[in-house]
């Protein structure tokens, strides 16, 4: 791709061989997700990609800030219009993206796992290496903007810990065999393209796409005692038991009931007892 690792739209497009309708790289923006939401409203095509060298207002779930320093990571958003996928299944796109990121990390020799719903953790301390944000866009057809923030090079000393006190890490800090961001961008977008096609053909069912077992296998949340912080400010505590075909977490709570978490953040409060 490039000896310097600089991100170049023409070279990425050539490497990806028509997998995406359009690929744009910008030096800096507030948020790639926000830019693609605006582009979607103006009729941007399915599978449009926007990558920024730097984000000045990157966000994660629940409007949390995502640190996006210039030249150290991949800040990628993809506009998707999966017309035949029911709205209820659109949320499982975060699972698809998580699997794509984890696979790239693993192929680079990095020990990585998934934390439901949208984090990729790496290294023996399970520090946060990547975050994913899928946002539905209002309109006549199903439209989602999927954002991925992946730390490739060391971020420096002033990056705050994430939700639950998760420290930040990067592929480089975890011994990745490749740290050229352009090469990693091509691998990530290729892997996501392949998994998303399977997901789309299965109408958003992770089970029918053959992805549910993979996610269960690599999800570090399962089997943990967790505290689920829900959007209304309440919380529940229980054992993370399973992921359903729509990508939702199922938690066994005291009293024998199983609670399905449609939205929320999970914090591992202690290891599950054997």
């Amino acid at each position: 791709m490039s000896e310097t690792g600089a991100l170049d739209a023409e070279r990425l497009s050539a490497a990806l061989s028509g997998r995406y309708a359009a690929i744009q790289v910008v030096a800096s923006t507030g948020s790639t997700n926000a830019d693609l939401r605006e582009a979607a409203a103006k009729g941007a095509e399915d599978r449009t990609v926007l990558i920024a060298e730097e984000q000045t207002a990157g966000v994660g779930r629940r409007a949390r800030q995502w640190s996006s320093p210039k030249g150290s990571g991949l800040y990628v958003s993809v506009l998707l219009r999966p017309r035949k996928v029911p709205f209820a299944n659109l949320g499982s796109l975060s699972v698809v993206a998580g699997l794509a990121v984890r696979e790239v990390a693993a192929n680079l020799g990095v020990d990585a796992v998934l934390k439901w719903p949208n984090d990729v953790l790496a290294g023996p301390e399970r520090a946060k290496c990547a975050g994913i944000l899928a946002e539905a866009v209002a309109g006549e057809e199903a439209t989602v903007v999927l954002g991925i923030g992946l730390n490739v090079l060391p971020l420096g000393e002033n990056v705050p810990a994430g939700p639950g006190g998760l420290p930040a890490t990067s592929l480089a800090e975890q011994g990745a065999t490749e740290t050229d961001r352009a090469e990693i961008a091509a691998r990530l977008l290729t892997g996501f393209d392949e998994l998303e096609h399977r997901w789309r053909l299965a109408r958003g069912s992770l089970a029918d796409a053959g992805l549910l077992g993979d996610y269960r296998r690599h999800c570090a949340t399962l089997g943990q005692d967790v505290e689920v912080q829900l959007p209304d400010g309440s919380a529940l505590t229980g054992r993370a038991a399973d992921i359903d075909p729509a990508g939702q977490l199922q938690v066994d709570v005291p009293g024998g009931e199983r609670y399905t978490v449609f939205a929320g953040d999970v914090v591992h409060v202690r290891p599950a007892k054997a």
Side-chain angles (χ1 to χ4, degrees):
M1 301 295 295
S2 168
E3 291 183 0
T4 64
L7 300 172
D8 181 274
E10 290 186 6
R11 291 184 178 182
L12 278 171
S13 296
L16 292 166
S17 304
R19 292 175 184 268
Y20 293 90
I23 299 175
Q24 181 183 10
V25 177
V26 298
S28 181
T29 190
S31 162
T32 54
N33 261 31
D35 291 349
L36 277 193
R37 289 200 309 270
E38 183 176 339
K42 296 178 180 178
E45 291 184 75
D46 180 27
R47 305 178 76 74
T48 293
V49 177
L50 177 62
I51 305 175
E53 288 278 5
E54 174 189 40
Q55 288 186 125
T56 58
V59 295
R61 287 177 60 85
R62 303 179 77 178
R64 293 184 175 118
Q65 184 177 0
W66 173 263
S67 181
S68 310
K70 186 174 183 178
S72 66
L74 290 177
Y75 318 120
V76 183
S77 292
V78 185
L79 169 61
L80 300 160
R81 299 186 186 276
R83 295 175 177 84
K84 296 183 179 181
V85 176
F87 182 82
N89 287 348
L90 292 179
S92 60
L93 262 173
S94 291
V95 167
V96 177
L99 286 169
V101 174
R102 196 216 69 85
E103 184 175 6
V104 167
N107 288 340
L108 297 175
V110 174
D111 173 27
V113 296
L114 301 166
K115 173 180 174 289
W116 189 92
N118 67 323
D119 292 334
V120 180
L121 311 182
E125 296 183 359
R126 296 300 184 229
K128 184 169 178 175
C129 187
I132 296 157
L133 178 64
E135 298 180 288
V137 179
E140 296 181 358
E141 63 179 356
T143 304
V144 179
V145 172
L146 178 78
I148 300 173
L150 172 60
N151 301 330
V152 177
L153 301 174
L155 302 176
E157 299 178 356
N158 298 319
V159 176
L166 285 174
T169 191
S170 65
L171 296 177
E173 290 170 287
Q174 299 302 327
T177 57
E178 172 67 75
T179 57
D180 183 307
R181 292 181 305 121
E183 174 64 27
I184 293 173
R187 293 191 191 193
L188 175 59
L189 287 168
T190 296
F192 175 72
D193 167 71
E194 293 170 354
L195 296 181
E196 195 272 344
H197 270 301
R198 290 167 56 183
W199 172 88
R200 192 179 294 213
L201 287 172
R203 297 173 60 87
S205 168
L206 297 173
D208 291 346
L211 301 176
L212 185 57
D214 289 344
Y215 191 83
R216 285 169 171 162
R217 188 161 49 253
H218 298 299
C219 182
T221 305
L222 295 180
Q224 295 286 321
D225 290 331
V226 297
E227 177 183 293
V228 182
Q229 300 171 346
L230 300 170
D232 64 2
S234 64
L236 66 88
T237 301
R239 178 68 57 85
D242 202 0
I243 303 292
D244 73 11
Q248 298 160 160
L249 181 68
Q250 296 182 325
V251 179
D252 289 342
V253 298
E257 296 181 58
R258 178 162 288 188
Y259 186 96
T260 298
V261 181
F262 297 92
D265 289 333
V266 172
V267 177
H268 292 183
V269 291
R270 58 188 179 277
K273 296 180 180 179

